Every structure is written in C-alpha cells, then in structure tokens.
Amino acid sequence: MKDTNAIEKALKNKIDFEVENIVRGFINELTKLYDTYGGTQWYNIVYDPQEKEITCLSKEKVRSILQKMIKENHGEAMLNKKSKELLAKLEIL
C-alpha cells in the first residue's frame, strides 16, 4: 500500500504543478496588461453579486484563489485521468 500511496502522492504533485503553470500563465497575462496599459494590480472579484464581494486582492491572492478553484473543480478528474494513463503505460511494460 505504501507504493500505491506514493504513486498517488506523486500524481497529485504533478497535478499541483500543472495547475500552478495554468495560473502562472494567467497571472503573467495580467502582468502584461498592467505593464502595457497601466491600471492597477489590485482586482475586484465578485463571487456572488447578491451577497458578498471580495475587493483589493493582490496578484498573489488572485493566484491562490485561482489555484484553489481549479484544483477543487478539476483536481479529482485530473487525478483519475493521470492514474488511468499511468496504469495503461504500466500494462505495456
């Protein structure tokens, strides 16, 4: 079981890295907008216009929110797919 847990942990780390790269690309694009046009590096994110609003987020907070959101919405599906891909490769060997 230790091997299975180690494999799952490695796959989760790979998913974390992939999500981080997606978010890094998005943050880089936001930075390009700021560098090109000015404006602000603070963001107003509304997640429920009727009830709550988050304001004045730094790029780092935007980064962490995006990473958490992507992992919550796609992490399990990513893990399932990567596990199936790995098992398919192992069967070839």
Side-chain angles (χ1 to χ4, degrees):
M1 278 304 218
K2 286 185 180 181
D3 292 334
T4 302
N5 290 336
I7 291 169
E8 184 173 336
K9 184 176 179 179
L11 288 173
K12 286 182 178 181
N13 287 339
K14 190 173 182 177
I15 289 165
D16 287 344
F17 182 73
E18 187 174 338
V19 169
E20 184 179 321
N21 283 335
I22 291 166
V23 172
R24 184 181 299 120
F26 180 73
I27 295 296
N28 286 342
E29 292 301 314
L30 290 177
T31 301
K32 286 179 193 176
L33 280 173
Y34 174 77
D35 291 344
T36 301
Y37 301 108
T40 180
Q41 291 192 35
W42 303 98
Y43 303 95
N44 181 28
I45 298 176
V46 177
Y47 63 93
D48 187 349
Q50 306 295 324
E51 296 179 23
K52 298 177 183 177
E53 186 175 306
I54 300 173
T55 58
C56 296
L57 296 175
S58 67
K59 275 195 293 188
E60 191 52 45
K61 287 288 186 186
V62 171
R63 179 190 320 272
S64 66
I65 288 170
L66 289 172
Q67 284 177 307
K68 183 178 177 190
M69 179 185 71
I70 291 169
K71 280 186 64 178
E72 285 177 358
N73 288 315
H74 303 285
E76 192 65 32
M78 292 172 80
L79 179 60
N80 290 337
K81 182 169 182 160
K82 289 184 183 299
S83 295
K84 287 178 186 176
E85 289 171 350
L86 178 61
L87 290 172
K89 286 180 183 177
L90 292 174
E91 287 182 43
I92 292 173
L93 302 174

